[in-house]
């Protein structure tokens, strides 16, 4: 059983790294062999939109015209039974490095042959293998109760379950555990960088890793359906939009 952590933080020993480490310890305690990909230490260029991967419907891993470390990382991703995504919150969302990674991943692990809510040409995984997925997001000043104002977890969940045939095991949002407001500039700065994680945050990360490995070991995982029950709503919206589009088209003719 292989569990891979993908870390989109810019700090090798930062908050995200420490939480992922605890989660991987938890996974290892339940029998997983673990590995970490520290994205900032790898050569990852941006997508050139050449569509080489998109146009290849056959390969188990879509080819890429950019010669960098993505192929090696994606081979690891495709071998993994469980993947843990980790990212700090920067400017209210995941880091640029994490979104770059997912942007580079989509049409290499998927082909454009899927259908969601009546829309055709959506990503469909190239492999049948189902993977257990989870995420850990670390923030600075945003208290966990207000996470919806400053989070990337729903985006990660929607996209990665779709691209990787993923079963979403769970997620963690590590933010300031505010008991009172900070009183000095130093306290505010410490909170912003979240350098001190609480014992309960470390324990929660470890527990998530344990749960990920236990879920894989049980083997009863099914892909989380794209958009969940929203799929039907989206189908109705798309159908309505297409009707409107046709009307505009006709009125212009
Ligand atoms: C450029 C930048 C932008 C940030 N934006 C936010 C933000 O919007 N909301 C927030 O709560 N924390 C923000 N932070 C704080 C980080 O999320 C926080 O320090 C996180 O724990 C860092 O994780 P790391 O130690 O793995 O780098 C930001 C930090 C940086 C460097």
């Amino acid at each position: 059983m292989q569990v891979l952590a993908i870390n989109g933080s810019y700090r090798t020993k930062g908050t995200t790294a420490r939480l992922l480490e605890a989660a991987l310890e938890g996974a290892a305690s339940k029998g997983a062999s673990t590995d970490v990909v520290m994205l900032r230490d790898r050569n990852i260029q941006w997508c050139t939109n050449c569509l080489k991967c998109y146009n290849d419907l056959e390969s188990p891993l879509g080819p890429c015209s950019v010669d960098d470390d993505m192929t090696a990382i994606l081979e690891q991703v495709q071998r993994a039974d469980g993947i843990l995504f980790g990212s700090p919150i920067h400017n209210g969302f995941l880091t640029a490095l994490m979104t770059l990674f997912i942007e580079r991943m989509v049409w290499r692990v998927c082909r454009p042959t899927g259908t969601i809510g009546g829309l055709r040409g959506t990503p469909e995984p190239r492999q049948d293998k189902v993977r257990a997925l989870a995420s850990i997001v670390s923030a600075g000043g945003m208290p966990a109760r207000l996470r919806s104002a400053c989070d990337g977890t729903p985006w990660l969940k929607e996209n990665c379950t779709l691209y990787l045939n993923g079963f979403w095991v769970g997620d963690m949002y590590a933010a300031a555990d505010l008991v009172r407001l900070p009183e000095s500039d130093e306290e505010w700065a410490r909170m912003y960088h979240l350098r001190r994680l609480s014992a309960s945050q470390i324990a929660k990360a470890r527990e998530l890793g344990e749960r990920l490995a236990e879920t894989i070991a049980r083997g009863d995982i099914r892909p989380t359906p794209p958009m969940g029950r929203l799929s039907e709503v989206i189908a109705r919206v798309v159908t309505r939009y297409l009707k409107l589009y046709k009307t505009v088209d006709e009125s212009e003719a």
Side-chain angles (χ1 to χ4, degrees), residues 223-239:
T224 303
M227 314 281 175
R229 272 167 291 152
L230 265 181
S231 183
E232 287 310 304
V233 180
I234 289 167
R236 281 206 294 277
V237 172
V238 168
T239 313

PDB file of all heavy atoms in Angstrom, residues 223-239:
ATOM      1  N   PRO A 223     -15.158   5.691  -6.580  1.00  0.00           N
ATOM      2  CA  PRO A 223     -14.881   7.102  -6.882  1.00  0.00           C
ATOM      3  C   PRO A 223     -16.011   8.008  -6.384  1.00  0.00           C
ATOM      4  O   PRO A 223     -17.185   7.672  -6.524  1.00  0.00           O
ATOM      5  CB  PRO A 223     -14.811   7.155  -8.405  1.00  0.00           C
ATOM      6  CG  PRO A 223     -14.658   5.753  -8.855  1.00  0.00           C
ATOM      7  CD  PRO A 223     -15.212   4.868  -7.797  1.00  0.00           C
ATOM      8  N   THR A 224     -15.645   9.131  -5.796  1.00  0.00           N
ATOM      9  CA  THR A 224     -16.631  10.139  -5.404  1.00  0.00           C
ATOM     10  C   THR A 224     -17.240  10.702  -6.689  1.00  0.00           C
ATOM     11  O   THR A 224     -16.503  11.131  -7.575  1.00  0.00           O
ATOM     12  CB  THR A 224     -15.930  11.264  -4.607  1.00  0.00           C
ATOM     13  OG1 THR A 224     -15.268  10.662  -3.489  1.00  0.00           O
ATOM     14  CG2 THR A 224     -16.906  12.316  -4.129  1.00  0.00           C
ATOM     15  N   PRO A 225     -18.591  10.670  -6.846  1.00  0.00           N
ATOM     16  CA  PRO A 225     -19.166  11.116  -8.120  1.00  0.00           C
ATOM     17  C   PRO A 225     -18.871  12.597  -8.387  1.00  0.00           C
ATOM     18  O   PRO A 225     -18.922  13.402  -7.459  1.00  0.00           O
ATOM     19  CB  PRO A 225     -20.670  10.898  -7.954  1.00  0.00           C
ATOM     20  CG  PRO A 225     -20.887  10.510  -6.549  1.00  0.00           C
ATOM     21  CD  PRO A 225     -19.583  10.283  -5.871  1.00  0.00           C
ATOM     22  N   PRO A 226     -18.560  12.958  -9.644  1.00  0.00           N
ATOM     23  CA  PRO A 226     -18.251  14.346  -9.970  1.00  0.00           C
ATOM     24  C   PRO A 226     -19.408  15.259  -9.591  1.00  0.00           C
ATOM     25  O   PRO A 226     -20.545  14.967  -9.930  1.00  0.00           O
ATOM     26  CB  PRO A 226     -18.038  14.353 -11.474  1.00  0.00           C
ATOM     27  CG  PRO A 226     -18.051  12.949 -11.907  1.00  0.00           C
ATOM     28  CD  PRO A 226     -18.556  12.094 -10.803  1.00  0.00           C
ATOM     29  N   MET A 227     -19.088  16.324  -8.896  1.00  0.00           N
ATOM     30  CA  MET A 227     -20.076  17.330  -8.490  1.00  0.00           C
ATOM     31  C   MET A 227     -21.130  16.763  -7.535  1.00  0.00           C
ATOM     32  O   MET A 227     -22.077  17.449  -7.186  1.00  0.00           O
ATOM     33  CB  MET A 227     -20.821  17.953  -9.679  1.00  0.00           C
ATOM     34  CG  MET A 227     -19.959  18.370 -10.821  1.00  0.00           C
ATOM     35  SD  MET A 227     -19.173  19.928 -10.447  1.00  0.00           S
ATOM     36  CE  MET A 227     -18.116  20.090 -11.873  1.00  0.00           C
ATOM     37  N   GLY A 228     -21.039  15.500  -7.171  1.00  0.00           N
ATOM     38  CA  GLY A 228     -22.015  14.904  -6.279  1.00  0.00           C
ATOM     39  C   GLY A 228     -23.417  15.079  -6.825  1.00  0.00           C
ATOM     40  O   GLY A 228     -23.667  14.929  -8.016  1.00  0.00           O
ATOM     41  N   ARG A 229     -24.346  15.445  -5.951  1.00  0.00           N
ATOM     42  CA  ARG A 229     -25.739  15.600  -6.379  1.00  0.00           C
ATOM     43  C   ARG A 229     -25.930  16.874  -7.196  1.00  0.00           C
ATOM     44  O   ARG A 229     -26.934  17.065  -7.842  1.00  0.00           O
ATOM     45  CB  ARG A 229     -26.658  15.606  -5.159  1.00  0.00           C
ATOM     46  CG  ARG A 229     -27.080  14.205  -4.771  1.00  0.00           C
ATOM     47  CD  ARG A 229     -27.710  14.180  -3.424  1.00  0.00           C
ATOM     48  NE  ARG A 229     -26.712  14.453  -2.399  1.00  0.00           N
ATOM     49  CZ  ARG A 229     -26.970  15.017  -1.231  1.00  0.00           C
ATOM     50  NH1 ARG A 229     -28.161  15.402  -0.930  1.00  0.00           N
ATOM     51  NH2 ARG A 229     -26.008  15.206  -0.355  1.00  0.00           N
ATOM     52  N   LEU A 230     -24.911  17.761  -7.185  1.00  0.00           N
ATOM     53  CA  LEU A 230     -25.001  18.999  -7.962  1.00  0.00           C
ATOM     54  C   LEU A 230     -25.076  18.722  -9.456  1.00  0.00           C
ATOM     55  O   LEU A 230     -25.518  19.548 -10.243  1.00  0.00           O
ATOM     56  CB  LEU A 230     -23.755  19.845  -7.701  1.00  0.00           C
ATOM     57  CG  LEU A 230     -23.859  20.918  -6.635  1.00  0.00           C
ATOM     58  CD1 LEU A 230     -22.550  21.663  -6.530  1.00  0.00           C
ATOM     59  CD2 LEU A 230     -24.989  21.890  -6.974  1.00  0.00           C
ATOM     60  N   SER A 231     -24.613  17.518  -9.847  1.00  0.00           N
ATOM     61  CA  SER A 231     -24.549  17.165 -11.251  1.00  0.00           C
ATOM     62  C   SER A 231     -25.877  17.405 -11.971  1.00  0.00           C
ATOM     63  O   SER A 231     -25.920  17.946 -13.070  1.00  0.00           O
ATOM     64  CB  SER A 231     -24.136  15.707 -11.359  1.00  0.00           C
ATOM     65  OG  SER A 231     -23.995  15.355 -12.680  1.00  0.00           O
ATOM     66  N   GLU A 232     -26.978  17.002 -11.316  1.00  0.00           N
ATOM     67  CA  GLU A 232     -28.296  17.160 -11.930  1.00  0.00           C
ATOM     68  C   GLU A 232     -28.659  18.636 -12.094  1.00  0.00           C
ATOM     69  O   GLU A 232     -29.206  19.060 -13.105  1.00  0.00           O
ATOM     70  CB  GLU A 232     -29.367  16.460 -11.075  1.00  0.00           C
ATOM     71  CG  GLU A 232     -29.320  14.952 -11.164  1.00  0.00           C
ATOM     72  CD  GLU A 232     -29.275  14.484 -12.616  1.00  0.00           C
ATOM     73  OE1 GLU A 232     -30.177  14.863 -13.368  1.00  0.00           O
ATOM     74  OE2 GLU A 232     -28.326  13.772 -12.991  1.00  0.00           O
ATOM     75  N   VAL A 233     -28.320  19.433 -11.077  1.00  0.00           N
ATOM     76  CA  VAL A 233     -28.604  20.871 -11.129  1.00  0.00           C
ATOM     77  C   VAL A 233     -27.815  21.494 -12.279  1.00  0.00           C
ATOM     78  O   VAL A 233     -28.342  22.274 -13.084  1.00  0.00           O
ATOM     79  CB  VAL A 233     -28.203  21.548  -9.788  1.00  0.00           C
ATOM     80  CG1 VAL A 233     -28.495  23.041  -9.835  1.00  0.00           C
ATOM     81  CG2 VAL A 233     -28.927  20.896  -8.623  1.00  0.00           C
ATOM     82  N   ILE A 234     -26.545  21.082 -12.377  1.00  0.00           N
ATOM     83  CA  ILE A 234     -25.700  21.631 -13.439  1.00  0.00           C
ATOM     84  C   ILE A 234     -26.272  21.261 -14.808  1.00  0.00           C
ATOM     85  O   ILE A 234     -26.320  22.073 -15.728  1.00  0.00           O
ATOM     86  CB  ILE A 234     -24.258  21.126 -13.280  1.00  0.00           C
ATOM     87  CG1 ILE A 234     -23.635  21.802 -12.055  1.00  0.00           C
ATOM     88  CG2 ILE A 234     -23.397  21.437 -14.504  1.00  0.00           C
ATOM     89  CD1 ILE A 234     -22.361  21.199 -11.587  1.00  0.00           C
ATOM     90  N   ALA A 235     -26.755  20.011 -14.925  1.00  0.00           N
ATOM     91  CA  ALA A 235     -27.339  19.578 -16.190  1.00  0.00           C
ATOM     92  C   ALA A 235     -28.494  20.496 -16.585  1.00  0.00           C
ATOM     93  O   ALA A 235     -28.612  20.909 -17.737  1.00  0.00           O
ATOM     94  CB  ALA A 235     -27.833  18.143 -16.075  1.00  0.00           C
ATOM     95  N   ARG A 236     -29.333  20.857 -15.579  1.00  0.00           N
ATOM     96  CA  ARG A 236     -30.475  21.735 -15.880  1.00  0.00           C
ATOM     97  C   ARG A 236     -29.988  23.119 -16.308  1.00  0.00           C
ATOM     98  O   ARG A 236     -30.490  23.700 -17.263  1.00  0.00           O
ATOM     99  CB  ARG A 236     -31.385  21.844 -14.649  1.00  0.00           C
ATOM    100  CG  ARG A 236     -32.284  20.626 -14.474  1.00  0.00           C
ATOM    101  CD  ARG A 236     -33.547  20.996 -13.696  1.00  0.00           C
ATOM    102  NE  ARG A 236     -33.248  21.372 -12.322  1.00  0.00           N
ATOM    103  CZ  ARG A 236     -33.080  20.505 -11.330  1.00  0.00           C
ATOM    104  NH1 ARG A 236     -33.184  19.214 -11.563  1.00  0.00           N
ATOM    105  NH2 ARG A 236     -32.808  20.913 -10.115  1.00  0.00           N
ATOM    106  N   VAL A 237     -28.962  23.645 -15.594  1.00  0.00           N
ATOM    107  CA  VAL A 237     -28.444  24.980 -15.910  1.00  0.00           C
ATOM    108  C   VAL A 237     -27.843  24.986 -17.313  1.00  0.00           C
ATOM    109  O   VAL A 237     -28.088  25.888 -18.125  1.00  0.00           O
ATOM    110  CB  VAL A 237     -27.378  25.419 -14.868  1.00  0.00           C
ATOM    111  CG1 VAL A 237     -26.695  26.713 -15.296  1.00  0.00           C
ATOM    112  CG2 VAL A 237     -28.016  25.588 -13.498  1.00  0.00           C
ATOM    113  N   VAL A 238     -27.073  23.918 -17.627  1.00  0.00           N
ATOM    114  CA  VAL A 238     -26.422  23.842 -18.942  1.00  0.00           C
ATOM    115  C   VAL A 238     -27.476  23.795 -20.043  1.00  0.00           C
ATOM    116  O   VAL A 238     -27.386  24.499 -21.051  1.00  0.00           O
ATOM    117  CB  VAL A 238     -25.489  22.600 -19.007  1.00  0.00           C
ATOM    118  CG1 VAL A 238     -25.049  22.329 -20.436  1.00  0.00           C
ATOM    119  CG2 VAL A 238     -24.274  22.804 -18.123  1.00  0.00           C
ATOM    120  N   THR A 239     -28.517  22.981 -19.825  1.00  0.00           N
ATOM    121  CA  THR A 239     -29.562  22.859 -20.831  1.00  0.00           C
ATOM    122  C   THR A 239     -30.225  24.221 -21.070  1.00  0.00           C
ATOM    123  O   THR A 239     -30.456  24.637 -22.198  1.00  0.00           O
ATOM    124  CB  THR A 239     -30.637  21.845 -20.352  1.00  0.00           C
ATOM    125  OG1 THR A 239     -29.947  20.711 -19.880  1.00  0.00           O
ATOM    126  CG2 THR A 239     -31.566  21.447 -21.459  1.00  0.00           C
TER     127      THR A 239
END
